[in-house]
Amino acid sequence: MGAGHHHQLYRPGASPVHRLPAQCKLPAVLAFAIVVVATPREAFWAFGGYLLLLAGVAAVARVPVTYVARRMVIELPFVVFAFLIPVIGMGERTTVLGLSLSVPGLWAAWNILAKATLGVIASILLAATTEPRAILMGAQRLRVPQLLVQIAMFMLRYMDVIMDEMRRMKVARESRGFVARDVRHIPVIARSAGALFIRSYERGERVHLAMLSRGYDGQMPVLQEISADIRQWGIALSLPAGALAVLGVAAL
């Protein structure tokens, strides 16, 4: 089932990373994340090595640093939380720039920031080099439950449709002179949200009936099977393998 619309996270290209099948990249990113999470927070050199590995992947994939940096704004809640931990943390205190901070809180903040940043960068590189539909098809080939994959596929396909519907409702309200200014307008917004939910639910019913009329039996047909050979698996798994090597060197 095709999406048929542009996704801002994906950056079209023909690099070796782009050409790798999604079923190879997904386990590679997952394994890399597991290695990062399992790394002791005191292993500073290991985290630097992981960052260099990701920089190498970005260079091979021709993904600019600025492209990754702009999309790392999603990490902002983690950053705010990490900066608050040393302030409200308990235990031994130390003074940094005139502020009394918790030593265990500083360690916890570093642990969260380092690991979250590496995980976010790896996810951004995956999304930048793999189309959303290909990611879902890769998950299907990895034997992720069919129901979960299909729900994600329909969400991907109809998210823009629902957003367009919401924008049309907003234009209709504003064309009638409505502008949300304070809490008194919450009931109007709530009714609009309810109407949007009903329309989405009815659309889902119509789509389901249309699928049944075309022979849907619980499985989506695969129009193009993309297989992966040993060489491609080896290229993809070189990222977590490199992370394990870095962790081993840092542990010496």
Side-chain angles (χ1 to χ4, degrees):
M1 186 171 184
H5 44 262
H6 178 68
H7 291 273
Q8 294 182 354
L9 289 177
Y10 177 64
R11 181 181 174 87
S15 71
V17 181
H18 284 80
R19 292 195 296 268
L20 285 177
Q23 63 264 35
C24 297
K25 289 187 273 189
L26 286 172
V29 173
L30 177 61
F32 175 79
I34 291 174
V35 174
V36 171
V37 171
T39 302
R41 62 189 184 185
E42 296 83 2
F44 298 106
W45 291 108
F47 292 110
Y50 300 154
L51 186 60
L52 288 177
L53 284 175
L54 293 177
V57 173
V60 173
R62 301 182 182 91
V63 178
V65 176
T66 54
Y67 182 91
V68 177
R70 286 197 304 269
R71 283 151 182 80
M72 287 189 65
V73 68
I74 193 174
E75 193 188 10
L76 186 59
F78 294 96
V79 174
V80 174
F81 178 69
F83 274 106
L84 288 177
I85 293 177
V87 177
I88 64 177
M90 307 297 289
E92 181 185 353
R93 313 290 295 187
T94 186
T95 301
V96 178
L97 300 177
L99 295 175
S100 177
L101 303 177
S102 166
V103 173
L106 287 171
W107 278 111
W110 155 252
N111 194 42
I112 292 173
L113 279 179
K115 296 179 179 180
T117 299
L118 292 169
V120 169
I121 293 175
S123 300
I124 291 173
L125 291 176
L126 172 65
T129 57
T130 317
E131 292 185 359
R133 182 180 178 277
I135 292 177
L136 295 176
M137 297 304 296
Q140 186 175 22
R141 295 185 188 96
L142 293 172
R143 300 297 186 267
V144 174
Q146 280 277 345
L147 183 58
L148 294 179
V149 174
Q150 290 182 30
I151 290 174
M153 281 184 175
F154 283 112
M155 182 182 70
L156 174 67
R157 174 62 182 86
Y158 287 101
M159 181 62 71
D160 286 353
V161 176
I162 294 174
M163 294 299 294
D164 286 340
E165 185 77 21
M166 186 171 65
R167 281 191 288 267
R168 287 195 295 270
M169 294 173 68
K170 181 175 182 291
V171 170
R173 289 196 306 268
E174 292 178 349
S175 66
R176 292 164 173 80
F178 174 82
V179 179
R181 294 189 179 90
D182 50 49
V183 295
R184 293 177 299 174
H185 297 120
I186 290 179
V188 178
I189 303 298
R191 286 193 292 270
S192 297
L196 180 63
F197 173 78
I198 293 173
R199 292 183 184 182
S200 302
Y201 183 83
E202 291 176 344
R203 185 188 298 274
E205 289 289 322
R206 292 195 300 270
V207 170
H208 183 246
L209 290 175
M211 291 170 60
L212 291 177
S213 68
R214 288 164 174 78
Y216 174 71
D217 59 356
Q219 292 188 347
M220 299 295 293
V222 178
L223 301 180
Q224 182 181 8
E225 183 67 34
I226 301 178
S227 59
D229 55 32
I230 297 178
R231 181 185 64 85
Q232 291 172 321
W233 276 104
I235 294 173
L237 294 178
S238 62
L239 175 63
L244 282 173
V246 170
L247 180 58
V249 171
L252 295 178

